[in-house]
């Protein structure tokens, strides 16, 4: 493996060669870590980006077209890592922008509120049970589990457009059932 260049290692990784992947990681991860540290000081973010990068390399090595386009395998690897770093920094910025919610003082609910809430819960439960299973799955993942469209798409193995369509149909059906 030591006499192979990075492009050949990527081609072998595309064929599922674990030893080639290990060699590619051994050769490129120290260099990649240094480059990422120049752009981000958070070691946790860098570790996550490295993990996501090499996972993407393992999954997408077949799409590497360096021999055809004249691009280098190391350049391809850096492009993947840079994109993952941008994604991670955007996620972190979004999380930092979310304001903290001050918790209200806890008081015992009024008896009338409990009766109304119980009735609403029963109506909502019945409306959810009447939804077709494919709509209920999407709604549960996005609303109850708090997943994004992309995460729901991955979880349910369906395109993001289908997730959006089913979520909209489920919300319309619930609104009609509860009105």
């Amino acid at each position: 493996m030591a006499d192979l260049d990075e492009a050949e290692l990527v081609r072998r990784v595309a064929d599922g060669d674990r030893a080639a992947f290990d060699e590619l990681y051994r050769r490129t991860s120290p260099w990649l870590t240094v480059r990422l540290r120049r752009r981000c000081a958070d070691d946790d973010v860098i570790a996550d980006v490295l993990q996501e990068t090499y996972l993407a390399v393992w999954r997408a090595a077949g799409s590497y077209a360096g021999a055809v386009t004249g691009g280098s395998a190391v350049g391809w690897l850096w492009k993947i890592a840079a994109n993952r770093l941008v994604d991670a920094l955007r996620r972190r910025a979004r999380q930092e922008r979310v304001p903290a919610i001050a918790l209200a003082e806890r008081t015992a609910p009024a008896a009338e509120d409990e009766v109304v809430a119980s009735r609403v819960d029963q109506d909502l439960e019945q409306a959810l049970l009447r939804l077709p299973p494919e709509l209920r799955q999407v709604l549960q993942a996005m609303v109850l589990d708090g997943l994004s469209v992309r995460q729901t798409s991955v979880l349910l193995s369906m395109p993001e457009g289908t997730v959006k369509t089913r979520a909209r149909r489920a919300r319309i059906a619930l609104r009609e059932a509860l009105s």
Side-chain angles (χ1 to χ4, degrees), residues 25-104:
Y25 180 83
R26 187 190 63 73
R27 284 187 199 178
T28 59
S29 64
W31 166 83
L32 199 54
T33 302
V34 169
R35 272 194 93 168
L36 289 169
R37 277 210 178 100
R38 289 181 189 157
R39 287 155 180 82
C40 177
D42 188 336
D43 288 336
D44 292 334
V45 171
I46 292 171
D48 289 344
V49 167
L50 280 173
Q51 182 176 2
E52 290 175 17
T53 298
Y54 285 101
L55 181 61
V57 167
W58 179 257
R59 291 179 176 165
S63 69
Y64 171 67
V68 176
T69 63
S72 73
V74 174
W76 177 72
L77 187 68
W78 170 244
K79 183 177 178 184
I80 293 171
N83 288 338
R84 296 296 187 269
L85 180 61
V86 168
D87 291 344
L89 295 176
R90 284 181 182 157
R91 274 192 308 270
R92 187 169 71 177
R94 274 195 308 269
Q95 290 169 349
E96 289 173 357
R97 275 185 287 181
V98 175
I101 299 172
L103 297 176

Side-chain angles (χ1 to χ4, degrees), residues 43-158:
D43 288 336
D44 292 334
V45 171
I46 292 171
D48 289 344
V49 167
L50 280 173
Q51 182 176 2
E52 290 175 17
T53 298
Y54 285 101
L55 181 61
V57 167
W58 179 257
R59 291 179 176 165
S63 69
Y64 171 67
V68 176
T69 63
S72 73
V74 174
W76 177 72
L77 187 68
W78 170 244
K79 183 177 178 184
I80 293 171
N83 288 338
R84 296 296 187 269
L85 180 61
V86 168
D87 291 344
L89 295 176
R90 284 181 182 157
R91 274 192 308 270
R92 187 169 71 177
R94 274 195 308 269
Q95 290 169 349
E96 289 173 357
R97 275 185 287 181
V98 175
I101 299 172
L103 297 176
E105 205 174 295
R106 302 281 298 188
T107 59
E112 298 86 10
D113 292 339
E114 287 183 349
V115 170
V116 169
S118 172
R119 180 68 187 149
V120 169
D121 288 346
Q122 290 172 0
D123 291 345
L124 181 59
E125 182 180 1
Q126 290 304 312
L128 282 170
L129 291 174
R130 285 193 294 268
L131 284 177
E134 66 274 5
L135 299 182
R136 190 170 49 244
Q137 285 177 329
V138 169
L139 197 64
Q140 179 180 2
M142 291 182 70
V143 176
L144 300 179
D145 297 338
L147 300 179
S148 68
V149 171
R150 179 177 289 166
Q151 292 167 330
T152 302
S153 169
V154 171
L155 176 70
L156 299 177
S157 302
M158 65 179 66

